[in-house]
Amino acid sequence: MTERILTDDGQDLRYIDENYKYIKNKIEEAALRSGRTPADVRFMAVTKTVAPYIINRAIACGADLIGENKVQELLSKLDDLHTQGLEMHIIGHLQSNKVKKIITTVAMIQSVDSLSLAQEISKRAVENDVVMDVLTEVNIGCEWSKTGFACEELTERSLEIDALPGVNVRGYMAIPPVCETEEEVRGYFSRVHRLFEDAKPQFAKPSFDTLSMGMSSDYAAAVLEGSTLVRVGSALFGQRRY
Ligand SMILES: *Cc1c(COP(=O)(O)O)cnc(C)c1O
């Protein structure tokens, strides 16, 4: 595959390198400030709407984890992506009938928001003789418009899901409501972190280790509040054009 230097509209792809380094540094700083090491926080590049040759530039910078919202979009990019050593996760609402298409492609489904979806993942995982890592999604703002489990039922539902064959609950994923201040968003992150820590003894396994929260506008705040995986799209690739 030939290395491209310019985007389709003539932009020099080195902006990706700069953004990557900048974000990586900020994550590391926040990890240290939160009393952890840089290795404790993973940096996911969210690649929805981004063309494969641009994603490959981020991979060349060191990105080893990408997240896509849509199954079809991910599958359509696979042939053109440098996937060696690359881990891929689904992070968007997933329809049950799409599970079978990605059960052997992705390493994790971060957006498990219903028991019926988890049951379908279980069925397909068993069929394919794999164990799928998942995160259960919490509707932390209790917004009617959002998917995910309510805080009060999160642990119980997650334990039920973890008991399904072929499914391994690795932790929680959260998208807080739009906030006016950093203090406000940190309050949401802090609540999710508490739910995660409180649930750890009940899961009683080392692999319950992932707290996915923080996006372009608030990833540093999320890390300060205990996130172990930030999902960053536009701060890395620029504003999305649909
Ligand atoms: C799009 C998306 C992101 C990344 O959003 P940015 O604000 O561009 O960083 C993270 N998580 C999920 C679930 C998303 O859909």
Side-chain angles (χ1 to χ4, degrees), residues 46 48 69 91-92 173 175 215-217 231-235 240:
V46 174
K48 60 174 177 255
N69 292 61
I91 60 172
M173 190 268 259
I175 307 171
M215 318 199 325
S216 288
S217 60
R231 309 177 308 268
V232 182
S234 46
R240 281 181 288 279

Side-chain angles (χ1 to χ4, degrees), residues 44 46-48 68-69 91-93 110-111 137 173-175 212 214-219 230-236 238-240 242:
M44 164 184 280
V46 174
T47 52
K48 60 174 177 255
E68 280 277 351
N69 292 61
I91 60 172
H93 175 68
Q110 293 203 2
S111 39
E137 185 175 344
M173 190 268 259
I175 307 171
S212 172
M215 318 199 325
S216 288
S217 60
D218 53 22
Y219 61 90
V230 293
R231 309 177 308 268
V232 182
S234 46
L236 177 59
Q239 281 308 317
R240 281 181 288 279
Y242 290 92

Side-chain angles (χ1 to χ4, degrees), residues 36 186 189 213-215 218-227 230:
R36 294 177 294 161
R186 283 187 66 162
F189 289 143
M213 55 186 196
M215 318 199 325
D218 53 22
Y219 61 90
V223 173
L224 290 176
E225 295 296 344
S227 171
V230 293

